[in-house]
Amino acid sequence: MIDTKVNIAGVEFKNPVIAASGTFGFGREFSEYFPISKLGGLSTKGLTLRQREGNSGVRIHETTGGIMNSIGLQNPGIDAFIEEELPFLNSRDTVIIANVSGNTIEEYVISVEKLNETEIDMIELNISCPNVKEGGISFGIKAEIANNVVAQVRKVCKKPLIVKLSPSAENIVEMAESCVEAGADALSLVNTFPALAIDITKKKAIFDNITAGLSGPCIKPIALRMVYEVSKAVDVPVIGIGGIMDYKDAIEYIMAGAWAVQVGTANFINPKACVEIIEGIEGYMQNEGISTLEEVRGII
């Protein structure tokens, strides 16, 4: 008998596989391929206080071993999400995580207050956003800035709080410790890496914003190292993100210390990737005589 359940901040996941924010929409499209109740959880497309149209120009660009994206957090806004998308998600029998973004602390706080009154299971705070009141520097670069936004959100947040870390942090371990000190119940890492692509025919950057976020298998070894380091440094559950394409990748993250994983880029290549990873983990556990994931978590 095997048991794939994991408990993160008091929330039970039937398995450790979560659809990553920004790669799964709000689940409707993927529900045509498989029952999303099979997922351990689903992290929503990044939500902002008000509706956003997103960036102009190219938004997705394939590169060696991954993809680059410059979506610009296109989303319907918190209120429209609650009214139009959340009822569907709440009927799917899986853990629903609302990914929240903002450009000011006030935006984060108001968004979280609105979500407090819903049946969302957890909130994932995306601190990779530019802090407009600090000259545009990301909340997730400097530990003291991240500490402040997490602390302010923690004061009002009634849900278990995950903080999603950026690989651009000056020191990823210091950043993690700062967010936990401020009240994070769990951490997810990493977000996409800032990257650049150039069209040599047009002699210009491919993206209107010049740089874009890099994800996919090319970032996995670096992301895995960061998850390992953070898992050793903090006493809250860590969710691993970065280049997870199959069950072997997921097991690597768990062995590095992750309690669960988020699958992103793989969903664009194979809409059934999450289900296949879940089945692969189950098969691995059976073949290796592993009863629970706790037996291999953090063994590295």
Side-chain angles (χ1 to χ4, degrees):
M1 294 291 291
I2 63 169
D3 183 359
T4 59
K5 292 193 295 292
V6 293
N7 189 294
I8 298 175
V11 177
E12 186 173 274
F13 294 71
K14 63 186 72 170
N15 62 66
V17 178
I18 303 165
S21 174
T23 68
F24 213 78
F26 300 115
R28 292 184 187 273
E29 296 86 354
F30 286 87
S31 67
E32 298 177 10
Y33 292 93
F34 66 89
I36 60 177
S37 59
K38 290 182 177 289
L39 296 171
L42 185 160
S43 183
T44 68
K45 187 172 180 58
L47 299 166
T48 51
L49 182 58
R50 299 173 187 83
Q51 179 182 3
R52 289 185 61 156
E53 296 300 324
N55 292 335
S56 61
V58 173
R59 292 190 175 191
I60 295 283
H61 173 71
E62 187 173 353
T63 188
T64 305
I67 61 171
M68 296 171 65
N69 88 85
S70 181
I71 307 300
L73 290 173
Q74 178 182 348
N75 76 97
I78 291 284
D79 291 337
F81 164 75
I82 292 171
E83 183 178 346
E84 299 168 13
E85 303 292 347
L86 190 52
F88 167 81
L89 288 172
N90 281 337
S91 69
R92 298 300 103 172
D93 186 30
T94 190
V95 173
I96 304 302
I97 304 167
N99 182 283
V100 176
S101 297
N103 293 124
T104 65
I105 292 176
E106 291 77 14
E107 287 181 9
Y108 279 110
V109 167
I110 295 169
S111 295
V112 168
E113 287 177 329
K114 288 176 177 286
L115 290 166
N116 278 340
E117 309 308 316
T118 71
E119 295 182 19
I120 283 289
D121 296 296
M122 309 179 85
I123 288 173
E124 182 178 48
L125 208 64
N126 174 10
I127 58 172
S128 296
C129 303
N131 181 353
V132 296
K133 292 190 176 180
E134 294 287 342
I137 186 173
S138 166
F139 284 101
I141 298 291
K142 293 183 176 294
E144 59 269 27
I145 296 176
N147 180 281
N148 187 31
V149 66
V150 174
Q152 296 305 315
V153 168
R154 179 75 277 174
K155 289 178 182 178
V156 301
C157 186
K158 299 177 182 178
K159 307 285 187 179
L161 181 63
I162 305 167
V163 178
K164 186 173 186 178
L165 305 184
S166 167
S168 299
E170 290 180 336
N171 182 311
I172 195 72
V173 171
E174 181 183 346
M175 174 63 69
E177 293 172 334
S178 180
C179 290
V180 171
E181 179 187 27
D185 296 306
L187 302 172
S188 59
L189 64 147
V190 295
N191 210 326
T192 55
F193 286 71
L196 174 66
I198 297 173
D199 185 323
I200 63 171
T201 301
K202 295 181 179 179
K203 302 177 180 63
K204 59 181 289 191
I206 285 174
F207 293 95
D208 285 358
N209 279 4
I210 312 298
T211 60
L214 175 67
S215 63
C218 59
I219 74 168
K220 188 191 117 186
I222 309 173
L224 187 64
R225 184 263 301 171
M226 290 182 172
V227 166
Y228 167 79
E229 291 177 345
V230 168
S231 296
K232 297 293 186 187
V234 300
D235 58 1
V236 301
V238 169
I239 301 169
I241 314 169
I244 298 167
M245 307 301 288
D246 59 27
Y247 80 91
K248 295 177 184 178
D249 295 327
I251 294 295
E252 284 189 56
Y253 272 94
I254 292 167
M255 287 184 172
W259 287 63
V261 296
Q262 288 189 19
V263 178
T265 299
N267 295 318
F268 296 121
I269 301 166
N270 173 13
K272 294 183 179 180
C274 286
V275 170
E276 292 177 5
I277 291 170
I278 293 166
E279 293 170 349
I281 291 172
E282 292 171 349
Y284 172 81
M285 292 174 69
Q286 290 172 342
N287 292 337
E288 295 291 322
I290 297 167
S291 299
T292 70
L293 291 170
E294 187 176 357
E295 295 174 31
V296 295
R297 183 184 305 124
I299 65 171
I300 303 303

